[in-house]
Amino acid sequence: MMSKSQTTMIDPVSPGEIIEQEYLVPLDMTARRLSLAIGKPENTIHRIISSNQRITPDVAIRLGRVLKTTPEFWLNLQQHYDLEMADHTAADELEPIATLA
């Protein structure tokens, strides 16, 4: 049986990639325009897009209102991304962990 580190893994898609590819690009919107719309600094949006900052509940609420989604959508994306990254990062450490019977 191959470990995760031996298989080809696809990098998880970050919430920032979703913002950029599914909202900014199709809406022809800049990070600056989105930052103004949600009332947060432009560098916040840039850091989220580059996966250097997590989406907080406050930002999730603001994104939900502006992008006609729900805050839960953004928080779930963030949580899923965080779990995938943790699993990917610790794959070798997690491999020997057995299920308790």
Side-chain angles (χ1 to χ4, degrees), residues 4 9 11 18-19 25-27 37 44 49 64 68 79 88-89:
K4 283 189 176 188
M9 294 187 65
D11 288 335
I18 301 292
I19 290 171
V25 170
L27 295 172
T44 297
I49 289 171
K68 298 180 183 176
Q79 186 175 39
H88 181 69
T89 302

Side-chain angles (χ1 to χ4, degrees), residues 22-40:
E22 301 296 327
Y23 292 94
L24 297 184
V25 170
L27 295 172
D28 196 29
M29 181 185 289
T30 63
R32 177 171 171 69
R33 186 167 150 219
L34 180 59
S35 72
L36 292 171
I38 69 169
K40 288 291 187 180

Side-chain angles (χ1 to χ4, degrees), residues 69-81:
T69 61
T70 65
E72 293 82 6
F73 172 76
W74 296 106
L75 291 177
N76 286 337
L77 281 175
Q78 185 65 59
Q79 186 175 39
H80 180 76
Y81 177 74

Side-chain angles (χ1 to χ4, degrees), residues 14-63:
S14 74
E17 284 183 74
I18 301 292
I19 290 171
E20 184 175 40
Q21 297 302 315
E22 301 296 327
Y23 292 94
L24 297 184
V25 170
L27 295 172
D28 196 29
M29 181 185 289
T30 63
R32 177 171 171 69
R33 186 167 150 219
L34 180 59
S35 72
L36 292 171
I38 69 169
K40 288 291 187 180
E42 185 178 352
N43 64 352
T44 297
I45 301 302
H46 283 294
R47 287 193 311 258
I48 290 170
I49 289 171
S50 64
S51 302
N52 292 322
Q53 182 172 326
R54 299 179 78 252
I55 292 179
T56 63
D58 176 60
V59 171
I61 291 167
R62 294 165 186 261
L63 288 171

